[in-house]
Amino acid sequence: MSLHPQPIGEIPETTARIAQAAFRKGNTIMRLRDEFGALYTDADFAHLFPVRGQSALAPWRLALVTVFQFLENLTDRQAADQVRARIDWKYALGLELEDSGFDFSVLSEFRKRLIQGKADHLLLDNMLAHFKAQGLIKAKGKQRTDSTHVLAHVRALNHLELVAETLRAALNELATQAPDWTRGMAEPEWFERYGRRVFDFRLPKGQAARTAYATTVGNDGFQLLAALEAVDVPAGLREFPLVQTLNLVWTQHFERHNGQARLRDGPELPPGAERPISPYELEARGSTKRGTWWVGYKAHLTETCDDNEVHLITHVLTTPATGQDVSQTREIQQALIDGGLEPQQHLVDSGYVTAGLFAESHQRGITLIGPPRPNTSWQTKVEGAFDDRAFSIDWDAQQVTCPQGKRSSSWQDTPDRQDRPAVTVHFLVRDCQPCPVRAQCTRAKYGPRSLKLHPREAHEALRAAQSQGLGKVYAARAGIEGTIAQTTRSCGLRQARYRGLAKTHFQHVVTAVAVNAARVIAWRQGRPHAQTPTSRFAALRA
């Protein structure tokens, strides 16, 4: 498909007249064309298309259809039907009433082109640039961030289901790509054992029978992997994606013991962040948060929250479910800075803050506002005990003075358990052992008191955050919960539409675009709290 950029034309006279007669007050879809007619142009997507070949459908139209699709939470087929049937869609897309639209597969091809060209962010970036030009959004304001869980487009598999289904998937791929080789290599019983999708209710009952089944599956997998290593294997078989997945899963889940495969379990397995939970979705992970267990991803949404201004999503980040919120704060802030939308105040919950991030944010010109993680040492829980705030720190002299006036004997730069910079301070045994208030300071039987401190900038930033408290400004952070509810209930963000991290991220980006579009239209009409339409019927009423 080639692209020869064309300017966006006028809405056909007949289409405009009938649409305006049918929707005398207009609706959200029509107002999007009226408000943001030049939001996307063919030139924005020119780098994704070759200059020769069959002419492609206008990318700006496909981009708008994609936004409308997420605005009304439609499938590709439903969205293509709306292009053919809906007067308001034809108005927004500048089509004649007789236009027959396009096949629904065009939308998936357009998504694939955007994702492979690493241009999935383009839809949101163009919208934000348009809003900046109109004064609807600006830097140096207040923004807030939070995350929510996203369910992957696969079912969760238990340990035994995973290994058996992985082997079945690899055999299916080989049977499709190299049927003759697979037929000659496979054992006769494999066709019965792996002919159907693996479900737990079909597996043997009882621990002994399941252990024997796991051994059989493991041996079959090792046999297949050994056959793939033979000299006469057709070229390319080892590089098939599901064959690579089989190799990974067998490395993680099996070991050979006395010539037989043994299924690893419990602490023998790699950490959950490294283990796939389905052969069809390698990037999805299982995780638990506040009692909720899910398989999939996390969506991190950042939006403006200035008073008396429209609240717009400025950044979207998608991570595996096991990704920690605190690991994303730096990336989110840097992305906002790179986009010219850095906040003056960044409101987050405790999952996004550490002492070091308070200091780093200040260096970027951003005030990070969130509840500092509490000190969990026993000294903070016992009245009269001496926690680290009872000690005086001389950073220049690298020395600490205890409440009894004794000075530390050593000062060492040592990383903490997360390999972050830290300072370890020790006192002398001869000072601590006879101390009259020793019981209030340490529970060590013989050893002296020691302290673990953050580096100076992080320590001082943490102390400032603790002393200032959150204040009334932090109350605005709770509003991000409403945005998460809107994206999940109206646009289907909770359930991944596609497989893979990149495609799921694309879904989240377009969801943010759809929510922003609906909010700006509502804002223009004096309905700042209007929700995104949840159905075609609701859209007609808008």
Side-chain angles (χ1 to χ4, degrees):
M1 304 295 285
S2 64
L3 177 63
H4 303 283
Q6 299 292 329
I8 299 175
E10 297 293 330
I11 301 172
E13 188 275 332
T14 303
T15 301
R17 177 169 51 81
I18 294 179
Q20 290 165 358
F23 302 92
R24 295 186 181 277
K25 295 183 179 180
N27 70 358
T28 299
I29 299 296
M30 294 174 62
R31 292 190 188 102
L32 282 174
R33 173 60 190 261
D34 295 337
E35 291 278 351
F36 314 118
L39 187 60
Y40 305 115
T41 65
D42 284 350
D44 297 328
F45 307 93
H47 65 288
L48 302 176
F49 292 82
V51 295
R52 294 182 179 180
Q54 181 183 352
S55 296
L57 294 173
W60 72 268
R61 283 198 176 99
L62 296 179
L64 283 183
V65 170
T66 300
V67 174
F68 299 163
Q69 174 186 5
F70 281 80
L71 186 64
E72 299 187 11
N73 198 15
L74 304 174
T75 65
D76 288 353
R77 191 183 295 272
Q78 289 171 331
D81 288 342
Q82 304 316 301
V83 175
R84 281 187 286 272
R86 290 265 294 271
I87 296 174
D88 54 339
W89 281 46
K90 290 184 182 293
Y91 176 94
L93 299 172
L95 298 174
E96 298 283 356
L97 292 179
E98 306 86 41
D99 193 288
S100 59
F102 49 79
D103 186 81
F104 70 94
S105 63
V106 171
L107 291 174
S108 64
E109 293 171 1
F110 180 64
R111 283 196 305 273
K112 181 179 179 181
R113 195 177 293 273
L114 285 174
I115 294 170
Q116 290 182 342
K118 301 188 183 302
D120 50 341
H121 58 85
L122 190 149
L123 299 181
L124 181 59
D125 289 349
N126 276 31
M127 171 173 273
L128 295 177
H130 196 81
F131 289 165
K132 284 178 67 176
Q134 292 188 343
L136 291 171
I137 191 172
K138 61 182 183 300
K140 298 301 181 182
K142 290 190 296 184
Q143 296 192 41
R144 55 197 177 195
T145 298
D146 204 356
S147 66
T148 188
H149 62 282
V150 177
L151 307 179
H153 197 63
V154 291
R155 68 185 179 95
L157 303 178
N158 64 34
H159 198 182
L160 197 52
E161 284 180 310
L162 171 62
V163 295
E165 183 63 22
T166 300
L167 179 53
R168 192 189 79 90
L171 287 169
N172 275 337
E173 184 176 48
L174 290 168
T176 301
Q177 303 296 332
D180 294 336
W181 182 87
T182 305
R183 187 182 299 109
M185 176 277 308
E187 298 291 340
E189 58 269 22
W190 289 10
F191 295 97
E192 176 63 27
R193 190 176 298 151
Y194 307 112
R196 296 187 299 173
R197 187 176 290 273
V198 178
F199 289 98
D200 189 68
F201 69 85
R202 292 177 180 161
L203 299 180
K205 303 299 184 280
Q207 185 59 44
R210 292 172 79 91
T211 300
Y213 177 78
T215 299
T216 300
V217 172
N219 289 335
D220 293 344
F222 280 125
Q223 182 177 337
L224 174 58
L225 291 171
L228 287 166
E229 292 298 326
V231 177
D232 58 346
V233 172
L237 292 194
R238 301 185 191 95
E239 282 69 45
F240 288 166
L242 286 171
V243 170
Q244 296 289 325
T245 301
L246 176 69
N247 197 8
L248 171 65
V249 170
W250 252 242
T251 300
Q252 293 182 337
H253 291 265
F254 285 102
E255 68 175 358
R256 287 188 181 276
H257 183 70
N258 295 329
Q260 296 292 314
R262 188 184 75 83
L263 186 65
R264 294 189 175 101
D265 198 9
E268 297 178 300
L269 294 170
E274 300 175 11
R275 283 185 282 132
I277 48 81
S278 170
Y280 309 110
E281 183 72 88
L282 292 184
E283 295 163 309
R285 294 291 185 268
S287 186
T288 302
K289 184 176 182 179
R290 301 192 187 99
T292 299
W293 184 85
W294 79 101
V295 170
Y297 305 96
K298 275 186 182 180
H300 301 261
L301 304 179
T302 302
E303 68 173 2
T304 60
C305 56
D306 293 301
D307 298 334
N308 302 318
E309 298 286 346
V310 60
H311 296 167
L312 299 173
I313 298 174
T314 55
H315 184 262
V316 179
L317 179 64
T318 307
T319 65
T322 50
Q324 298 297 311
D325 292 351
V326 70
S327 302
Q328 318 310 324
T329 306
R330 184 180 298 106
E331 180 178 347
I332 291 170
Q333 291 184 352
Q334 190 58 52
L336 293 172
I337 292 172
D338 294 342
L341 290 173
E342 67 278 10
Q344 183 175 16
Q345 296 176 325
H346 188 193
L347 314 180
V348 296
D349 66 18
S350 59
Y352 287 91
V353 301
T354 63
L357 287 172
F358 280 120
E360 288 182 30
S361 299
H362 180 72
Q363 293 172 355
R364 298 188 188 99
I366 298 173
T367 301
L368 183 64
I369 302 176
R373 296 187 178 186
N375 184 341
T376 57
S377 66
W378 68 267
Q379 289 94 341
T380 63
K381 303 171 185 177
V382 176
E383 185 177 357
F386 302 127
D387 61 12
D388 56 3
R389 288 174 294 184
F391 292 75
S392 300
I393 305 173
D394 187 338
W395 294 97
D396 296 326
Q398 295 188 345
Q399 200 164 63
V400 177
T401 303
C402 79
Q404 296 298 301
K406 302 297 183 180
R407 295 182 179 180
S408 60
S409 61
S410 67
W411 177 292
Q412 297 175 322
D413 293 325
T414 55
D416 62 12
R417 294 178 180 177
Q418 287 75 40
D419 202 31
R420 295 174 299 201
V423 175
T424 301
V425 176
H426 292 283
F427 287 83
L428 292 172
V429 175
R430 67 169 180 264
D431 290 332
C432 290
Q433 193 65 40
C435 181
V437 293
R438 176 182 174 82
Q440 299 170 246
C441 191
T442 180
R443 289 177 175 174
K445 191 171 183 180
Y446 300 108
R449 176 66 186 269
S450 63
L451 296 176
K452 197 78 166 181
L453 305 175
H454 298 289
R456 181 173 186 173
E457 291 184 357
H459 181 90
E460 293 176 348
L462 178 62
R463 286 289 177 267
Q466 291 172 333
S467 62
Q468 292 174 2
L470 298 177
K472 295 182 179 180
V473 174
Y474 186 69
R477 192 217 66 85
I480 192 70
E481 304 292 345
T483 297
I484 290 175
Q486 183 177 2
T487 57
T488 55
R489 296 174 184 175
S490 300
C491 301
L493 181 137
R494 176 75 68 221
Q495 177 67 61
R497 290 174 173 238
Y498 321 111
R499 291 178 181 173
L501 181 63
K503 292 181 180 179
T504 303
H505 177 63
F506 176 84
Q507 174 187 344
H508 297 166
V509 169
V510 185
T511 296
V513 173
V515 169
N516 283 350
R519 286 184 171 184
V520 168
I521 295 300
W523 180 265
R524 299 284 199 199
Q525 294 181 287
R527 298 185 291 118
H529 302 296
Q531 295 292 308
T532 305
T534 59
S535 66
R536 296 189 297 278
F537 178 74
L540 294 176
R541 183 184 177 190

